[in-house]
Amino acid sequence: MTKIVVIGTGYVGLPAAIMLARSGYTVVGVDIDKKIVEAINNGVLHIDEKELQELLNLQEVRKNLIGMATPSQADVFMVAVPTPLDDRKKICDLSHVISAVESFLPYLEKGNLVIIESTIPPLTCREIIIPLLEKSGLEVGTDILLCHCPERILPGNVFEEIVHNDRLIGGINRKSSLAAREIYSSFVQGDLYLTDDVTAALCKLMENTYRDVNIALANEFALVAEGLGVDIKEAIFLANKHPRVNILNPGIGVGGHCIPIDPWFIKEVDPKHTNLIMTARRINDEMPEKIASQIRKKVRDLVKPQIVALGAAYKPDTYDIRESPAIKIVNLLREDGYQVELYDPLVKEYAYDSLLDVVEGKDCLVVLVEHKKIVEELESNLELIKSRMRNPLIVRFYL
Ligand SMILES: NC(=O)c1ccc[n+]([C@@H]2O[C@H](COP(=O)([O-])OP(=O)(O)OC[C@H]3O[C@@H](n4cnc5c(N)ncnc54)[C@H](O)[C@@H]3O)[C@@H](O)[C@H]2O)c1
């Protein structure tokens, strides 16, 4: 029976562990966070994914999957730990990947397959992971197989995407790719494309950079339209009537765990050829300041305006607040001395009971994140909401 140890059981590792357990593999989910290990062993999903919780409730999954604080011997080691941006150096912080690999080195055996799912700069497998693995005395490529298989799932829709998305299998040699393909084909219904580790890493970074650059373009168009007094939504709608144009929607900035971070990993390996990429990064990073100044303008005639900001998540319909531009905007306003209360119906720490109570006596309601729930509340109660406010000023962006 093939045994798979998944190191790091967060948004990426836990769904993979569950899918592999459902496919019949014996799976050990390893995490340094004891609460996560406990939750796995109690059959409780610590991420908000309904279908995955249903899978975790299945008897065969409970039987095949256990949580542990440390790795053990296995046939396959899969690494899905964070790779954040080192904020000062603007390079990938590989410390979690390195300590994850070091943690299973004592258990490595001839014939093992190592899969890196974490997002990493190209060349990381060759320059960092291989020398680390070879400290075991085993040779990578012959004794041990190694693959980089980046993940593309979208939090909130993980079950659908982990099964149906196409995947890249980046082996350091063909034998490694074939071995990893066998593992993924147990649950992936999308196509599995075999490539090498460097190409796989670059593709993953290109995907998120493509999004970042195109969002920056839409954001820049929005700023130009604002100066011209043009309705950007209408302009984009009309421009997209061109058969080969597809401009994205502008926004208040780019957040989350991937898009604002991954472009830096390209710069890290080739700073000379990332002018456009870095300009896009800067445009998107400056959006919160631009939006904050639009809000300042809206409230400038009010004395000591009391502002309610709605939406703390990094984008609509998620509870994830990592790198959230909405929170940056609120902080910028607060630094200026504005009184701003922040609420989000999807984020526990910013939740509210009644929007009507929240806006009572306030001067300005700024909708930063258009969650479906917020839009519904506004549509069904707009007049009542306005009637509760001291000044019925509601600010929304790019609608
Ligand atoms: N979240 C996403 O939507 C997404 C999508 C695609 C790719 N990725 C990439 O996948 C990787 C993992 O991201 P995530 O969102 O799952 O992160 P996460 O923070 O949700 O989960 C990572 C887990 O790893 C654990 N961990 C850290 N160091 C460890 C170690 N040495 N040993 C054992 N456990 C350890 C943490 O406690 C945490 O539970 C990152 O490289 C990320 O960029 C994430």
Side-chain angles (χ1 to χ4, degrees), residues 7-13 30-33 36 80-83 96 99-100 118-119 151 153 155 204 257-258 322:
I7 321 259
T9 46
Y11 287 93
V12 165
V30 175
D31 207 288
I32 48 172
D33 185 334
I36 292 181
V81 295
T83 45
H96 302 281
S99 64
S118 299
T119 304
E151 181 51 87
I153 48 170
K204 167 73 193 172
H257 192 42
C258 295
R322 291 180 289 183

Side-chain angles (χ1 to χ4, degrees), residues 78-268:
M78 183 180 275
V79 176
V81 295
T83 45
L85 183 70
D86 178 320
D87 255 342
R88 189 175 62 82
K89 298 183 189 155
K90 296 291 185 197
I91 57 171
C92 178
D93 172 0
L94 284 168
S95 59
H96 302 281
V97 172
I98 292 170
S99 64
V101 172
E102 282 172 345
S103 72
F104 65 78
L105 271 190
Y107 305 102
L108 261 186
E109 287 172 350
K110 209 171 167 165
N112 282 167
L113 166 66
V114 175
I115 298 174
I116 309 291
E117 279 213 355
S118 299
T119 304
I120 48 174
L123 302 175
T124 302
C125 281
R126 296 178 192 195
E127 292 178 351
I128 312 265
I129 311 285
I130 292 180
L132 207 54
L133 289 171
E134 292 194 334
K135 282 187 182 170
S136 65
L138 298 163
E139 194 185 342
V140 176
T142 48
D143 298 333
I144 311 168
L145 304 178
L146 172 63
C147 247
H148 174 41
C149 302
E151 181 51 87
R152 289 170 162 164
I153 48 170
L154 181 71
N157 193 28
V158 165
F159 175 65
E160 169 68 21
E161 297 218 347
I162 202 169
V163 173
H164 296 287
N165 285 355
D166 295 340
R167 277 198 93 109
L168 307 182
I169 311 280
I172 53 127
N173 56 15
R174 187 159 169 81
K175 207 171 159 197
S176 298
S177 294
L178 292 174
R181 182 171 71 180
E182 194 185 325
I183 301 294
Y184 284 103
S185 61
S186 70
F187 68 87
V188 176
Q189 290 174 27
D191 292 330
L192 299 173
Y193 291 94
L194 304 200
T195 179
D196 64 84
D197 55 315
V198 183
T199 308
L202 182 60
C203 287
K204 167 73 193 172
L205 303 180
M206 280 164 48
E207 291 157 18
N208 282 336
T209 302
Y210 170 87
R211 304 269 306 149
D212 201 34
V213 170
N214 280 285
I215 294 168
L217 183 63
N219 286 340
E220 195 150 64
F221 285 153
L223 296 171
V224 173
E226 157 117 359
L228 294 172
V230 166
D231 176 350
I232 184 62
K233 266 297 213 216
E234 186 191 357
I236 290 176
F237 172 78
L238 295 174
N240 282 347
K241 292 293 161 201
H242 183 291
R244 286 169 298 282
V245 170
N246 185 18
I247 301 167
L248 300 183
N249 291 326
I252 60 166
V254 170
H257 192 42
C258 295
I259 297 182
I261 292 169
D262 294 357
W264 290 102
F265 299 178
I266 298 186
K267 176 164 191 250
E268 179 179 341

